Amino acid sequence: MRLILVGPPGSGKGTQATLLCQRLGLVHIGTGDILRDAVRRGTPAGKLAEPFLLSGTLVPDDLVNELVNDRFRRDDRPERFVMDGYPRTLAQAAAFEQTLRQQFLDITAVVVLQVDDDEIVRRLSGRWSCPNCKATYHTQHKPPRRAGVCDECGTALVQRPDDRPETVRRRLRDYHQTTQELLPFYQQKGLLRQVPGTGDIETIYAAILKALNNQEGPAC
Ligand SMILES: [Zn+2]
């Protein structure tokens, strides 16, 4: 089985990727891992990517494609995998298709976790933590006894910049903008499987398996 997992930030995509790997024996492939690995190995693409890794800036599309392509050309190329965070754009999808074709591999399905924007904002912007003792809270699921104050040590709670509502909205706009191009590409190939990303972890996992089995017959 070869999957591409797509979902907005806060959709639980990483958790589901981990479960799919543990239970179906797939390899989890994230671009971050590929990037760090290439830098460590000192490959030509890795050398080009190193400054981006060090400065934390976005690696250009072409270079990401090259890094992924290198990974699939190695002797230990993954044959059963979950792609997490790649391809992100239409250009990456086209490049990835070519990479796989050269390896005589194809994609089984593209699973899209669907969660409403408002729900994502609630999930992410509710997260607060204590800068002193590192205790974590959620305004809805695990509120502190006194609003904005750590139960354990009385320190004022802080929010990660990425979790501020306006930042979450901006990340969601970026997500919709890129997937708007990406998803029709896979839809045309009949590979797209939309799965509700709501409920607990096991409910979502079961929904993913159901969506996959509907196309492939009995469970693998
Ligand atoms: Zn604390």
Side-chain angles (χ1 to χ4, degrees):
M1 183 166 314
R2 289 179 280 277
L3 303 177
I4 296 172
L5 200 52
V6 180
S11 61
K13 182 164 60 82
T15 306
Q16 294 300 325
T18 304
L19 283 185
L20 285 162
C21 292
Q22 284 170 352
R23 297 179 184 177
L24 303 181
L26 310 179
V27 179
H28 185 178
I29 305 183
T31 40
D33 300 326
I34 290 186
L35 174 64
R36 281 185 293 275
D37 184 59
V39 169
R40 199 168 45 236
R41 285 166 182 263
T43 66
K47 288 202 173 93
L48 290 174
E50 193 164 11
F52 296 99
L53 183 72
L54 292 175
S55 64
T57 45
L58 201 65
V59 181
D61 253 21
D62 286 354
L63 188 50
V64 177
N65 292 335
E66 198 179 326
L67 289 161
V68 172
N69 192 48
D70 282 355
R71 180 68 191 86
F72 276 90
R73 287 169 60 147
R74 267 167 40 190
D75 289 343
D76 63 341
R77 68 168 195 180
E79 298 204 355
R80 306 171 75 240
F81 55 79
V82 182
M83 297 300 292
D84 177 6
Y86 182 93
R88 208 176 50 82
T89 63
L90 184 58
Q92 288 183 349
F96 190 46
E97 191 179 39
Q98 207 175 350
T99 291
L100 291 181
R101 196 181 296 145
Q102 283 165 357
Q103 299 296 319
F104 304 101
L105 297 175
D106 55 8
I107 290 293
T108 312
V110 177
V111 175
V112 185
L113 290 180
Q114 289 191 303
V115 187
D116 285 348
D117 282 7
D118 289 344
E119 166 68 13
I120 294 289
V121 174
R122 270 195 298 276
R123 281 185 196 176
L124 296 184
S125 66
R127 302 197 295 199
W128 292 79
S129 64
C130 173
N132 181 42
C133 74
K134 313 294 173 207
T136 56
Y137 300 89
H138 193 283
T139 46
Q140 281 181 317
H141 311 300
K142 193 191 164 198
R145 284 192 296 274
R146 242 179 75 205
V149 178
C150 180
D151 288 350
E152 308 297 326
C153 69
T155 305
L157 300 178
V158 294
Q159 190 172 36
R160 282 180 29 191
D162 263 9
D163 290 343
R164 287 186 193 127
E166 63 275 17
T167 315
V168 175
R169 294 268 177 208
R170 183 176 50 72
R171 291 165 70 199
L172 284 169
R173 270 198 303 279
D174 291 347
Y175 170 76
H176 290 304
Q177 211 170 0
T178 49
T179 49
Q180 202 176 315
E181 290 186 345
L182 180 69
L183 300 188
F185 176 82
Y186 290 116
Q187 179 133 44
Q188 278 178 356
K189 298 174 190 297
L191 294 175
L192 213 58
R193 301 290 174 271
Q194 309 266 11
V195 174
T198 45
D200 62 28
I201 290 170
E202 292 298 340
T203 305
I204 300 170
Y205 182 76
I208 292 175
L209 282 199
K210 184 159 169 263
L212 294 174
N213 287 337
N214 283 347
Q215 82 180 5
E216 284 203 317
C220 54

